[in-house]
Amino acid sequence: AQRVTQPEKLLSVFKGAPVELKCNYSYSGSPELFWYVQYSRQRLQLLLRHISRESIKGFTADLNKGETSFHLKKPFAQEEDSAMYYCALSPISGGYNKLIFGAGTRLAVHP
Amino acid sequence: DGGITQSPKYLFRKEGQNVTLSCEQNLNHDAMYWYRQDPGQGLRLIYYSQIVNDFQKGDIAEGYSVSREKKESFPLTVTSAQKNPTAFYLCASTTGAATNEKLFFGSGTQLSVL
């Protein structure tokens, strides 16, 4: 079954500390993976996708097919990073963008 | 101001009543989606539409219906058959149906049962 697991509901860190939001997936093929973010009182929006191999707002995520993981990392957390983060998987079969979302992790960065 | 507009922001449903959630976009996107968000469960796909006059069931379509008569509009009806409708509903759109397309989301509708 296709599934995305985010094991932490809440991750609490201090400003300047490294951050790693965990994401594991279950999918038999080669998936496309994304991180979406929702800041307070804002809409859910794309943060980054693995296919772009980009760094957005200091965040990076590497697809590890061996461990079926797509963890989101940032070396030095900022208070403005506090938000809800969702990992999502797009099954390639069928050709439709039917994202499967994880349950989300709330990141709280304290001063 | 381009984007996706969902209305109303809050909606209350009485027992046995059908209610319709509106989703309009002016992004000229072909594909539109409805997700349901429950606490601690992430987002689950209800229905999606790749093109006008076509739509497909998602993972939790029972108790819901949609229409796609116009490219800009993708309303969701929560019918009386949906026994647990209380949730936050999100509409989204993309330029096409390719699997790596970025989703643009609306601000959501919170539906509660009276």
Side-chain angles (χ1 to χ4, degrees), chain A residues 33-45:
Chain A
L33 286 149
F34 307 79
W35 277 98
Y36 278 78
V37 61
Q38 188 167 27
Y39 301 102
S40 179
R41 286 187 281 280
Q42 292 189 28
R43 301 178 183 207
L44 192 59
Q45 59 187 287

Side-chain angles (χ1 to χ4, degrees), chain A residues 9 32 34 36 38 43-46 49 51 86 90-92 95-104, chain B residues 3-5 33 35 37 40-43 45 48 50 90 94 97-103 105-107:
Chain A
K9 286 187 177 180
E32 304 204 25
F34 307 79
Y36 278 78
Q38 188 167 27
R43 301 178 183 207
L44 192 59
Q45 59 187 287
L46 178 69
R49 51 191 140 184
I51 197 170
Y86 293 94
S90 180
I92 294 179
Y96 297 117
N97 190 348
K98 298 190 294 177
L99 284 180
I100 299 168
F101 285 86
Chain B
I4 301 179
T5 302
Y33 310 80
Y35 285 89
Q37 187 175 25
Q41 290 195 44
L43 285 70
L45 183 64
Y48 63 99
Q50 190 184 10
L90 281 169
T94 60
T99 54
N100 62 354
E101 292 282 349
K102 170 173 117 173
L103 262 66
F105 283 89
S107 55

Side-chain angles (χ1 to χ4, degrees), chain B residues 16-66:
Chain B
Q17 185 183 38
N18 291 357
V19 292
T20 298
L21 285 63
S22 170
C23 178
E24 304 276 331
Q25 54 97 0
N26 60 4
L27 300 168
N28 199 33
H29 285 173
D30 286 316
M32 298 186 74
Y33 310 80
W34 274 105
Y35 285 89
R36 169 177 170 144
Q37 187 175 25
D38 294 279
Q41 290 195 44
L43 285 70
R44 291 181 290 167
L45 183 64
I46 305 172
Y47 267 98
Y48 63 99
S49 169
Q50 190 184 10
I51 198 167
V52 175
N53 292 322
D54 178 69
F55 49 82
Q56 306 292 332
K57 291 182 179 180
D59 300 318
I60 55 166
E62 186 174 348
Y64 300 97
S65 66
V66 293

Side-chain angles (χ1 to χ4, degrees), chain A residues 2 4-6 13 27 54 62 73 75 79 81 84 87-88 91 97 101:
Chain A
Q2 299 158 359
V4 176
T5 303
Q6 293 180 250
V13 302
Y27 181 63
E54 56 202 345
D62 292 318
K73 300 177 183 179
E79 288 179 69
D81 296 328
M84 193 74 182
C87 182
N97 190 348
F101 285 86

